[in-house]
Amino acid sequence: MYYAILAYHEEGVVESWTKEEDAALMTELLQINDRLVQEKSLGPAARLGPTQRAVTLRGKGAGMITDGPFAETKEQLLGFYVVDFPTLDAAVAAARDLRRANPTAVYEIRPISLFAPGVPLAPRDEE
């Protein structure tokens, strides 16, 4: 079964890390990613950009665009992983590995009811 592991963190904390601190954390997280890829359990993963550059679409019909995600929480969704494990317990174990590397993050594990991988995307230059 596919599960989404959603990574939440206080955006200000993440932005306060030096380049060296961020690189060290990413090295640890990528080691876990590499292991999960070797186990054929990791699908797409993404580190999201700043919430200040996000918009939200909501409402009926064509909807209305508003600035930002405006969640009622200290943490913001900053990234996600799509994993394939036979049980929720196995997906939770993977999230625990990620949390050991990044202990101040919060990870939500949610079953995915529809997974459409789309096409491989090449990186583009940022705007």
Side-chain angles (χ1 to χ4, degrees):
M1 167 146 220
Y2 291 117
Y3 294 91
I5 299 177
L6 308 174
Y8 291 86
H9 211 297
E10 291 185 46
E11 198 168 36
V13 171
V14 172
E15 291 172 349
S16 73
W17 295 336
T18 65
K19 287 184 180 184
E20 294 79 14
E21 289 169 325
D22 188 66
L25 172 63
M26 290 308 297
T27 296
E28 278 191 75
L29 291 175
L30 289 173
Q31 288 172 352
I32 297 165
N33 288 7
D34 290 346
R35 189 193 81 231
L36 294 174
V37 166
Q38 288 175 346
E39 294 172 0
K40 299 190 184 319
S41 295
L42 182 64
R47 187 177 198 184
L48 301 175
T51 57
Q52 294 89 350
R53 293 181 48 201
V55 297
T56 300
L57 172 64
R58 68 177 78 224
K60 296 179 182 178
M64 175 191 287
I65 297 288
T66 59
D67 292 340
F70 298 119
E72 294 295 324
T73 179
K74 288 183 180 180
E75 299 92 10
Q76 291 80 35
L77 177 62
L78 298 185
F80 63 89
Y81 303 84
V82 175
V83 296
D84 184 13
F85 287 105
T87 66
L88 177 61
D89 288 342
V92 169
R96 283 193 171 121
D97 286 341
L98 295 167
R99 187 163 165 79
R100 274 191 282 282
N102 190 5
T104 57
V106 174
Y107 292 95
E108 175 184 346
I109 300 90
R110 186 183 301 179
I112 294 176
S113 56
L114 172 65
F115 177 75
V119 299
L121 300 175
R124 296 183 188 197
D125 294 330
E126 289 190 30
E127 296 176 7

